[in-house]
Structures are given as C-alpha cells and as structure tokens.
Amino acid sequence: MSSSPTGFVPSDTQITEVGLPPGATPWIGPRGQVMERLELHLTYHCPERCLFCSEDHRMQRYNAFPVTWGRVAKVLRLHAERGVKAVHFTGGEPTIHPRFIEVLQLARKLGMRTSIGTIGTMLARPDFAERALPWLDEALFSVHGPTAAVHDAMAGRDGSFERVTAAMRNARRIRPDFSLFANTVITARNIEHLPDTVGMLGELGARLIVVSNLTAEGGGFDRYGDLAPSLDAMARILPTTPARAPDAVLRFFGVPMCLLGEHWPNSNDLHWDPRVTVEWQSAPGKVAFAGIYSWAPDRKRVHPPACAGCTRQDVCMGVNDAYVEHFGTAALRPFGSGE
Ligand code: SF4
C-alpha cells in the first residue's frame, strides 16, 4: 500500500515503501494531524535479553539485514523533505550502530530534533557519551526496577542496571540541560517495585518518566500470561507513583485511563504525536525497509463491553486485546456521570 497522492491517509495504519518520490508534504492524518515524527530502527541487535522485549521476534527475523549508512541517510533525507521535524532512533539498541554518531550528526544537519530509546549500552562509556551527547536532544533510558536484582532479572543480563544508571549519570554530567527521560515497563514481576523505581529515576534526574504497560508483542506475546500486570495491581499502584518523583512528569502508556485515579490526565493517550515508524517488513517474496503510519496510540487496544457508557471512551484507547482474552476486564472502572 502507499499513501495517496494528496497525502491524506484514510485509515489509521498503512504500510508504504520508503523511497517514494516526495510529493505530499506535509503528511496529514485522518483527523488533520500533521506527521512530524519519525521512528527509525537502526539495528536488529541488542546485548540485553529483556523478557518482554517487543522487538524480540523482529530481531530474530531481521538481524541478518544490516541497516546500512546509505539506507539511513536516504530515509532521513526523504523524511526531512516531507516535513518531519524529530527523529527517534530505536532498535535493538541504537547506540551500537557502527555509525551512530554520524547518524545523529546527519539528522541534526537536516534540521531534526534527535532522540533515542536506549538501555544505555554505549553511553555508559564516558568517552563515547562525551562524543555522542552534543548531537542528542533527548534520550529515553530503559530502567525496569529500582535495584540491580529487579532490573537485571527483567533485562536478562547481569550488569544491565549498573550500565544504564551509569549512562544516565554520564548524560546528566555532560549535559546538565539534557532532556533525560526514562521508560519503565511494568510486568507482574516488577509492578510492586514501581513506586521505588519511579523514586529512583526522579533522584537520577529523569524529567519525564514513562510507565509502559506490557504489550503482547515479541517476548511479551510469548510470555503474556505470566508477565501481564493485573488491572487490579495497576489501579492500586499507579496512582501512588507521581508523588514519588515530584520534579518529573509522569506518563502512563498503554494503560486504561480509568485505572489512574486523579492522575488520568497523565495518560499518554492524551499526549501522543502521530509517527511514521521505518523498519524492516516482510512483503510477498521480499523484505522491505518500510514505513508504518500511526495516527493514534490504539495499537492492540480495544474497548471491551465494560467500556460501554464510559464518558472518556473517545480519548482513552482502552485495554490491551491480549489482556481481555486472557483475564477479562472486571477491574475496569468506567468514568460515569457521577465522577
Ligand atoms: S472504561 Fe474503557 S474507555 Fe473508559 S477509561 Fe476505562 S478502559 Fe478507557
């Protein structure tokens, strides 16, 4: 499929080949949203083995296909021409791309704001951090527990907590003004530690802390029944967390809004920008580096019958479809006229 010549994309998600001639700038979504954000998968390798890694299957399928400098440069130039103003590099672990710093430099040269999602691998090295940080506007560090014991069990590798927290300290030391952000994935095994995780991230200087619900993709799909945090646990614990990091902004990603208590305005459903994600895709008879257009944060989320009558159904994207299938939705607390 490709985007229409007018740039109007009629459905919420489409796949198109990267490399189409520019012609529809800017890209406009079904509700008039302007596409200004690119997510680019730089590599299909990672030194960690996170139990819930949403990219696990894709890394196995595509790690034989390197994301070359030429391919990255082509994607960045195309999207800059089409009005994209910010690029988020992800992976695998983006900092291990052999030309990572040059990639950042090119994105900046093209006028893009640069960010990464990282578990800190290369930024834990002070010399590398010194060279990379000047070209980065923000970094979202993956931290899944308040201690080495909790985080390393999630990341599947000893020493992971030490590396990612060292990377955060390097970033703060080298660029005190840096947009130091953190992402923590909640599972049944670490959710009881979440208040301490948020507190620790606040002390490390995180300005934005994203609490991400487990998604049923990759390792998260394989282990969903074991790893999914319950709606009851989320309703009990999530509303207590903003107070643990008073200087940070908290966002809750993939979480039913009705479980957030008075903090429902911190739902990421209300603070989400359309994006095109460029990565390897399987097409008939070939593998293509292609863009997936997302106009709403509704991937793999549904409104089960329990949401009927909820007054926030138009802005809340609902519950993970896998959760509904495995566990049901008795714990939902639909917003009603009495709120
Ligand atoms: S009841 Fe459904 S639509 Fe309403 S806030 Fe909860 S999950 Fe969202």
Side-chain angles (χ1 to χ4, degrees), residues 85-103:
K85 295 186 170 54
V87 57
H88 180 74
F89 295 105
T90 181
E93 167 55 40
T95 63
I96 64 174
H97 188 281
R99 297 181 71 172
F100 175 68
I101 294 172
E102 290 166 89
V103 168

Side-chain angles (χ1 to χ4, degrees), residues 256-258 303 306-307 310 312-313 316 318-319 332-335:
M257 212 175 268
C258 55
H303 291 113
C307 298
C310 175
R312 300 236 163 82
Q313 231 189 116
C316 170
V319 191
L332 289 181
R333 301 152 185 215
F335 291 97

Side-chain angles (χ1 to χ4, degrees), residues 256-275:
M257 212 175 268
C258 55
L259 305 183
L260 299 175
E262 63 176 312
H263 300 290
W264 65 266
N266 294 37
S267 165
N268 206 59
D269 292 350
L270 301 170
H271 305 271
W272 192 89
D273 297 317
R275 63 204 55 194

Side-chain angles (χ1 to χ4, degrees), residues 42 56 63 74 76 137 167 196 221 227 259 312 327 335:
L42 268 190
D56 182 57
N63 65 19
K74 184 176 172 184
L76 288 177
D137 292 299
D196 289 342
F221 175 85
L227 289 184
L259 305 183
R312 300 236 163 82
F327 306 107
F335 291 97

Side-chain angles (χ1 to χ4, degrees), residues 4 18 28 39 61 67 75 79 107 135 211 216-218 229 237 312:
S4 74
V18 165
I28 306 294
E39 280 198 10
R61 195 176 306 143
V67 183
V75 170
H79 288 81
W135 303 101
V211 175
E217 292 185 68
I237 295 168
R312 300 236 163 82

